[in-house]
Amino acid sequence: NPTTANGLGTDTQDTPGIACPACTFHNDPFMIQCEICGAELQDAESVAFLLDRQQQHQRSISQLPSTIDSPSPPSSTLSTGTNQVSDSNALKTTGGNKFMPSLSSFYTRTASGNGSSKQSPEDANSVKLSFRAGGNGNFHTLLRAALAARVWDSKPKKRVAESSTALPSTTALETAQAAPSIKVGGISGIMRTVETNKKATDETLSQAFQDLQGLMDKAAEMVALAETISNRLAKSNTMDSEETVTFKTYLLSMGITSPVTKDTAGAVFHKELARELVEFILPIVEREGGTMSLMDIYCVFNRARGVELISPKDLHTACQMFQDLNLPLRLRKFDSGLLVIQTMARYSDDEVSSTISKRIQNLPPGAGLTAVELASAIQISVALAQDQLLMAESRGLICRDESVEGLRFFDNLFAKWEI
Amino acid sequence: MSQAASNAALGLSQSPALASGFQFPSIHNFPPFYTLQPTASTWNNQADLWGTIIMRYYRHHRLYQLDLDDSLTNEQLFNNQRINRKLKPEAIQAIVDEMVKKGDAEWDATSQKRRAIIYWRKPEDWAAMISSWVFESGLNNSILTYYEIAHGENSEDQEFYNIHATVLQKTMDVLVKRGVAATFQGANFEEMGVKFFNAGA
């Protein structure tokens, strides 16, 4: 392998390029595959030569400052190269070692696929032609003539007619037509593959969004349907039949079918909103143990309303009307500023107080209860627990102990003590 | 005994008796007992209990004056080292206020609620006790000084021995009002005289 350690300039001069064995295109000497047709350019020997040259090139670059005393000798293979290089170069050859596997594996890969149609089917919308030793002028003239005559307009018809008449011989022809096997290699081929993939992804995405759009359309239809059904139910008087009730619960779980809006209710908007809210939220509040913070209710309620969202102020105003409207829920503001909605039936002050009182009485003798302990015991917020304790205290059920350790509540022994 | 039993059921431990033989009821070991209760009904009960304990304590130790600045008095009564709780002066004042309302105590007008007389026995009761003692000892129709009554040899075994001057004066006021005795001004409080009439009792 004729190489010199002097530099790259001589190499490029010595080797004018590699002619493709398939299409005769003169490729750059660094190419392994033909730039035009993708055919394999070099045999094993020339690849080894290429490897060596690249390695040497690297070495010469890394050696640049210290090449004076030890010019690296030419080497045909990697092993001989490493044997001959001095210790100072040992480190640099590892760079070549690193480079080696990737290139050699590339070589083996292309070698194994040799001969077979290894390339993926490419987009056949373009053809790249290369001319050697003239002929391009003639071709160009012919091409222009064909373009001007629009030969492709008439040809397909003729082909279809041919294939339909000559039945026995068409199978091979048809398959060939169905899958045009024009192979496009090189950089343009890669670019085309990337473009094809991108196009496919775009298509998939747009299909997916089409589905989404369809879903949204369907949802709007569903809401409209639910609305009509609920309207029909409201008009009919068979409200108490079991089926109707069940059906209404289904409708309810889908959301609020015809939410009260400022447009529909006008001046009595807040009153109507309060009624709707109670109707919707009462089972939820009861399930949550009788107390829910206004914030939670705001989220749950607005989610059920879907698109007809209400503002926190509207909700607050509506909640303040519970008492006037004689609804079974109450808005309660604790001293801490916490706003909660409570059911009247299951969450009366009496019940809470007596529950707390019982809880404290069941503690071991001499033990008290803090708001934090109560909060963690019955899964409520500390602020709420504190307020409940104070409420029980104000009812004379428990009494407080203020000390450096904080506020602790005890059973009200003063009321029971006999002295 | 039934009271003690029902109180014990409330789950408070009993303090050991003091060196003086006085024993606090176990409510004295109840931590909230040392916090001024904000709930009115609870506070009334609490103040009642404190009042009763203070009266018992004062009776047991023959004390008359409650002094917020006298740490010795407060050490055992208002400070429970066993449960590390202490009644604050404001709370003591509030309790004494409640006692004053019931006639169980009286603030010293000059002390700005720092000193109070605890009437663990009412002046009327003292009056009856002193007058009966006077008649039994045959001292009626003669003039006795306040000192003789409170600290004299004859009264050494009496319950009113070493009675507080203010309490004694209140008692004498009751007797004078009833027409049982007449008082005579002396050079100082101890030389004040009193004469019990026959017709009394």
Side-chain angles (χ1 to χ4, degrees):
Chain A
N1 295 309
T3 51
T4 55
N6 300 353
L8 282 167
T10 51
D11 286 345
T12 46
Q13 279 164 14
D14 289 349
T15 51
I18 301 161
C20 175
C23 70
T24 69
F25 182 77
H26 277 251
N27 284 286
D28 188 273
F30 277 90
M31 291 302 288
I32 290 169
Q33 279 183 304
C34 175
E35 212 172 337
I36 298 297
C37 64
E40 187 190 323
L41 288 179
Q42 289 147 338
D43 55 353
E45 202 188 350
S46 57
V47 167
F49 151 72
L50 190 70
L51 278 175
D52 174 59
R53 226 180 31 180
Q54 274 174 341
Q55 187 189 346
Q56 217 166 29
H57 170 53
Q58 275 196 332
R59 201 179 301 144
S60 63
I61 287 172
S62 59
Q63 252 183 355
L64 275 177
S66 59
T67 37
I68 309 119
D69 50 357
S70 64
S72 66
S75 53
S76 59
T77 60
L78 187 68
S79 58
T80 54
T82 42
N83 283 342
Q84 285 168 3
V85 290
S86 58
D87 286 351
S88 65
N89 291 334
L91 269 173
K92 278 96 185 183
T93 50
T94 55
N97 257 331
K98 270 185 194 166
F99 180 73
M100 172 67 176
S102 60
L103 198 69
S104 61
S105 68
F106 182 56
Y107 166 68
T108 50
R109 187 162 53 83
T110 52
S112 67
N114 190 16
S116 64
S117 59
K118 58 190 181 283
Q119 280 152 330
S120 56
E122 301 269 0
D123 189 348
N125 285 335
S126 76
V127 177
K128 198 169 186 177
L129 299 163
S130 77
F131 298 92
R132 216 155 51 96
N136 56 339
N138 293 338
F139 178 77
H140 196 233
T141 325
L142 282 172
L143 182 65
R144 281 179 74 99
L147 282 170
R150 290 182 159 269
V151 280
W152 58 88
D153 278 349
S154 54
K155 251 187 180 174
K157 280 180 193 169
K158 202 176 165 190
R159 265 189 202 166
V160 168
E162 263 177 19
S163 60
S164 58
T165 48
L167 269 169
S169 62
T170 42
T171 44
L173 189 68
E174 270 179 351
T175 48
Q177 277 174 350
S181 57
I182 299 163
K183 299 281 195 307
V184 182
I187 289 167
S188 59
I190 292 166
M191 281 170 73
R192 201 162 294 127
T193 317
V194 169
E195 217 163 87
T196 317
N197 287 343
K198 204 176 137 193
K199 210 178 272 177
T201 315
D202 276 352
E203 234 160 75
T204 320
L205 274 175
S206 63
Q207 265 177 9
F209 281 119
Q210 265 175 6
D211 288 352
L212 203 62
Q213 187 63 44
L215 180 70
M216 282 163 80
D217 292 344
K218 282 282 183 300
E221 278 172 34
M222 283 305 286
V223 169
L225 181 68
E227 212 160 307
T228 31
I229 291 169
S230 69
N231 282 342
R232 209 174 298 156
L233 281 177
K235 277 174 195 160
S236 67
N237 289 326
T238 55
M239 293 298 272
D240 44 7
S241 84
E242 209 169 293
E243 277 179 25
T244 320
V245 172
T246 323
F247 191 65
K248 279 199 91 179
T249 55
Y250 286 146
L251 283 180
L252 192 71
S253 65
M254 277 179 71
I256 296 163
T257 49
S258 50
V260 176
T261 60
K262 274 182 176 154
D263 297 333
T264 58
V268 289
F269 169 63
H270 286 121
K271 281 185 187 173
E272 289 303 312
L273 187 64
R275 291 207 175 90
E276 181 191 282
L277 175 61
V278 169
E279 199 178 316
F280 170 74
I281 211 85
L282 190 60
I284 298 171
V285 175
E286 278 176 357
R287 199 180 60 216
E288 293 286 321
T291 305
M292 267 179 95
S293 77
L294 204 56
M295 239 183 307
D296 292 341
I297 283 177
Y298 181 72
C299 296
V300 172
F301 189 47
N302 259 341
R303 198 161 97 184
R305 283 176 68 96
V307 285
E308 298 288 350
L309 301 180
I310 54 161
S311 70
K313 201 185 165 199
D314 283 339
L315 181 71
H316 191 204
T317 315
C319 289
Q320 282 169 331
M321 292 180 166
F322 284 164
Q323 192 147 16
D324 296 338
L325 297 171
N326 254 331
L327 293 168
L329 285 173
R330 286 290 176 271
L331 176 69
R332 180 179 185 139
K333 186 175 185 174
F334 284 109
D335 296 337
S336 53
L338 179 72
L339 285 165
V340 296
I341 299 265
Q342 295 182 325
T343 60
M344 284 179 76
R346 293 183 53 196
Y347 210 75
S348 66
D349 288 359
D350 289 326
E351 186 155 328
V352 172
S353 307
S354 63
T355 313
I356 289 176
S357 176
K358 270 183 209 131
R359 179 175 285 276
I360 287 179
Q361 281 171 23
N362 288 335
L363 291 170
L369 190 69
T370 64
V372 177
E373 288 164 1
L374 178 66
S376 66
I378 61 174
Q379 299 293 315
I380 56 173
S381 72
V382 175
L384 191 58
Q386 175 93 5
D387 283 312
Q388 289 185 351
L389 283 168
L390 292 178
M391 186 178 66
E393 187 198 28
S394 71
R395 286 162 177 261
L397 293 168
I398 55 175
C399 59
R400 67 168 63 190
D401 166 38
E402 280 173 36
S403 68
V404 283
E405 296 139 38
L407 192 58
R408 215 162 240 290
F409 289 90
F410 289 77
D411 187 22
N412 189 355
L413 294 185
F414 303 132
K416 302 165 191 169
W417 200 262
E418 298 165 44
I419 199 158
Chain B
M1 285 310 281
S2 67
Q3 278 180 15
S6 68
N7 286 341
L10 296 173
L12 290 172
S13 61
Q14 185 75 41
S15 297
L18 301 176
S20 62
F22 184 79
Q23 187 168 32
F24 283 111
S26 51
I27 193 86
H28 200 251
N29 288 330
F30 188 43
F33 202 37
Y34 297 85
T35 301
L36 214 160
Q37 298 298 322
T39 308
S41 61
T42 312
W43 159 245
N44 285 337
N45 287 327
Q46 185 190 19
D48 278 356
L49 287 170
W50 266 117
T52 311
I53 289 176
I54 291 170
M55 301 254 274
R56 279 193 191 171
Y57 184 85
Y58 271 61
R59 185 202 299 265
H60 186 92
H61 295 97
R62 295 284 154 83
L63 296 169
Y64 296 91
Q65 184 170 280
L66 186 147
D67 194 338
L68 265 65
D69 303 312
D70 178 13
S71 57
L72 205 68
T73 318
N74 303 337
E75 210 45 55
Q76 291 175 334
L77 184 57
F78 299 126
N79 185 4
N80 191 335
Q81 288 176 344
R82 218 161 148 245
I83 58 165
N84 196 20
R85 290 292 187 282
K86 199 172 179 175
L87 202 61
K88 288 185 183 137
E90 307 90 76
I92 299 176
Q93 283 178 341
I95 288 163
V96 174
D97 276 340
E98 292 295 318
M99 294 174 74
V100 169
K101 276 187 209 162
K102 287 193 280 179
D104 289 340
E106 188 177 343
W107 287 112
D108 185 334
T110 60
S111 69
Q112 291 181 330
K113 291 200 177 182
R114 301 301 293 178
R115 285 195 305 277
I117 302 296
I118 304 298
Y119 292 120
W120 44 271
R121 183 156 287 162
K122 295 262 192 303
E124 292 77 16
D125 297 339
W126 286 123
M129 201 178 279
I130 289 173
S131 60
S132 65
W133 168 73
V134 166
F135 286 105
E136 276 168 24
S137 336
L139 296 168
N140 49 333
N141 284 324
S142 60
I143 295 174
L144 293 159
T145 62
Y146 282 9
Y147 183 84
E148 277 176 291
I149 296 172
H151 310 288
E153 291 173 13
N154 292 328
S155 66
E156 257 179 25
D157 54 345
Q158 295 298 313
E159 204 170 331
F160 51 84
Y161 188 72
N162 279 340
I163 193 170
H164 194 268
T166 313
V167 182
L168 184 58
Q169 183 59 56
K170 290 270 179 191
T171 307
M172 290 308 150
D173 289 347
V174 170
L175 289 168
V176 169
K177 210 173 172 185
R178 282 184 189 167
V180 178
T183 54
F184 303 94
Q185 287 293 329
N188 54 41
F189 183 79
E190 291 187 336
E191 286 178 20
M192 293 264 288
V194 62
K195 184 184 177 183
F196 286 81
F197 305 119
N198 268 334

